Amino acid sequence: MNSPRKAVVSTQSTGGEGQIPFTKSRKFGILLVTLSATSYGLSATAVSIEKDIATPLVVGSRFLGAFICTAIACLINKVDVRIPSSNWGLLGIRSAFGLLSFVCGTFAFQNMPVGEATVLISMAPVFVAIFSACFLGEFISCGVVLLIILSVAGIVLIVDPDTLVSEFLNSSSSSPNSVSYKLNLIAAFAALGQAVSKAVSYIFIKRSSNKIHFLTMIFWYALFGFLTTFIFTLTSFLSLRAAGKDTSWLLNKVDSRDYAFLVLISILGFTSQITLTKATQMINTTIVSLVRNGDILVTMLFQIFYFHIVPCWLQIIGIVIMVVSTLLILASKERERIIAKHPRCFRIC
């Protein structure tokens, strides 16, 4: 007699069939993603400010800081960082794409306006939709396909097609303006590379959510990133030195202020990474990507008011198209998830 009544109470407390549940865990997950977006935006701005620091030094210090912080967190929480050999492949792929993501992002922030780079990187949900359709067999509607096409159009507007024709393809490729624009264009592709890498990372984080503790995942990801960056930088340095070429670029003009910024970048990056990883394991990936776009606002404000770089009207249109298209794709994917989970709720509506 008591068990049916308990079942009714339990159903009402979780939202029942007539409403979509919004648990404390989900609210906390959204709060974590918001903190991740803010930390990421501030970290991206710091990288953009210190653009004279060599990219390997920024990447290496970021991973070293994350490794030290995660190791301390694992000791405090008594987390066993050992993982079964069956999970090494999954963790290795996630770490590799995470490393690629951060390298591309650092290069982009150092060589193009930070706000525009963040907008391009925010295309990760678009690539999530594409990869889900291609490799996971998920349904993709005609509306989502149209939004993806609009996102591509937004990219073209952001990279400034007029300058692309007049500077990148003209014969005076050695002029300072042309060289600067080519570097800016390469940085734009690097930003898109981070968006692709982030999309793959989201999928692998979600797949490993029930297999690997989030601190263990970040521990090995940070260690992999630091060792890979260190080995690559050391090999490049020794090779260039043996060839008699200049190697001063690695520590070019690095002073105490730059080291302070590197520490700040490491702390902000670690905060962004740990909160994002935990939130991705707690709530739907679509919601994570949606709230994570808040870093666009942070970086765009710094671009305009700190760097005094105001996008032209074509770029503004491109930014609006990309942001709106991404949000609509996220809304569409979230609606599909909710309908699949609560079909009777939508039948009643």
Side-chain angles (χ1 to χ4, degrees):
M1 292 295 293
N2 293 332
S3 57
R5 188 172 182 179
K6 288 182 180 178
V8 172
V9 173
S10 176
T11 301
Q12 290 175 347
S13 64
T14 57
E17 295 178 346
Q19 66 184 65
I20 300 166
F22 194 80
T23 62
K24 291 183 179 179
S25 176
R26 194 177 181 190
K27 290 180 180 178
F28 183 65
I30 292 177
L31 179 62
L32 288 178
V33 184
T34 304
L35 178 59
S36 175
T38 304
S39 302
Y40 181 84
L42 295 175
S43 175
T45 304
V47 172
S48 185
I49 292 174
E50 296 298 310
K51 60 178 60 180
D52 291 333
I53 302 178
T55 300
L57 189 59
V58 177
V59 174
S61 62
R62 158 70 172 81
F63 282 116
L64 178 60
F67 173 73
I68 294 174
C69 293
T70 308
I72 294 174
C74 288
L75 288 174
I76 294 175
N77 293 279
K78 298 181 180 179
V79 176
D80 186 2
V81 297
R82 294 175 297 177
I83 59 174
S85 58
S86 58
N87 291 331
W88 275 107
L90 190 66
L91 185 61
I93 295 175
R94 184 266 178 272
S95 299
F97 276 99
L99 172 62
L100 178 62
S101 171
F102 194 78
V103 171
C104 289
T106 301
F107 182 83
F109 293 136
Q110 289 183 325
N111 295 282
M112 71 179 296
V114 62
E116 295 165 20
T118 307
V119 172
L120 294 175
I121 292 171
S122 70
M123 275 195 67
V126 177
F127 291 108
V128 169
I130 295 174
F131 294 155
S132 297
C134 294
F135 303 110
L136 301 180
E138 293 187 6
F139 173 76
I140 182 169
S141 64
C142 295
V144 172
V145 173
L146 178 60
L147 291 172
I148 292 174
I149 295 174
L150 287 175
S151 299
V152 175
I155 295 173
V156 174
L157 292 176
I158 289 176
V159 299
D160 193 359
D162 291 337
T163 310
L164 174 63
V165 175
S166 62
E167 293 288 349
F168 189 72
L169 299 179
N170 66 2
S171 57
S172 59
S173 57
S174 60
S175 65
N177 290 336
S178 180
V179 172
S180 176
Y181 181 72
K182 287 180 180 180
L183 191 61
N184 186 87
L185 189 63
I186 295 173
F189 281 109
L192 291 175
Q194 181 174 23
V196 174
S197 302
K198 285 175 65 175
V200 176
S201 297
Y202 282 151
I203 294 174
F204 279 100
I205 289 175
K206 198 65 178 179
R207 287 186 59 182
S208 62
S209 61
N210 297 324
K211 302 177 181 178
I212 306 174
H213 192 280
F214 77 98
L215 283 176
T216 303
M217 188 183 304
I218 298 177
F219 176 88
W220 290 109
Y221 158 67
L223 180 60
F224 174 86
F226 171 72
L227 292 178
T228 304
T229 305
F230 177 78
I231 293 172
F232 173 80
T233 304
L234 181 62
T235 303
S236 301
F237 177 82
L238 294 177
S239 299
L240 291 173
R241 191 171 183 178
K245 297 183 179 180
D246 182 32
T247 57
S248 61
W249 54 271
L250 184 59
L251 296 175
N252 184 34
K253 299 179 181 178
V254 178
D255 53 22
S256 57
R257 176 179 178 272
D258 296 326
Y259 285 118
F261 263 92
L262 289 175
V263 173
L264 177 63
I265 291 169
S266 299
I267 295 174
L268 290 173
F270 171 74
T271 302
S272 175
Q273 182 64 47
I274 194 171
T275 50
L276 177 64
T277 302
K278 181 60 178 176
T280 305
Q281 292 185 335
M282 294 175 64
I283 58 178
N284 182 263
T285 307
T286 303
I287 301 177
V288 171
S289 301
L290 176 62
V291 181
R292 190 66 166 71
N293 281 340
D295 55 13
I296 296 176
L297 177 62
V298 177
T299 54
M300 192 60 71
L301 288 175
F302 271 98
Q303 175 181 319
I304 295 173
F305 295 104
Y306 183 84
F307 296 104
H308 305 292
I309 301 176
V310 181
C312 67
W313 66 273
L314 277 177
Q315 292 174 317
I316 293 175
I317 293 175
I319 291 172
V320 172
I321 289 175
M322 282 194 57
V323 172
V324 172
S325 298
T326 302
L327 293 179
L328 289 177
I329 289 174
L330 289 168
S332 175
K333 299 293 289 184
E334 180 66 6
R335 183 175 182 275
E336 292 174 5
R337 185 191 70 85
I338 294 174
I339 291 176
K341 192 172 183 180
H342 305 276
R344 293 189 61 183
C345 173
F346 282 85
R347 283 200 209 104
I348 294 173
C349 297

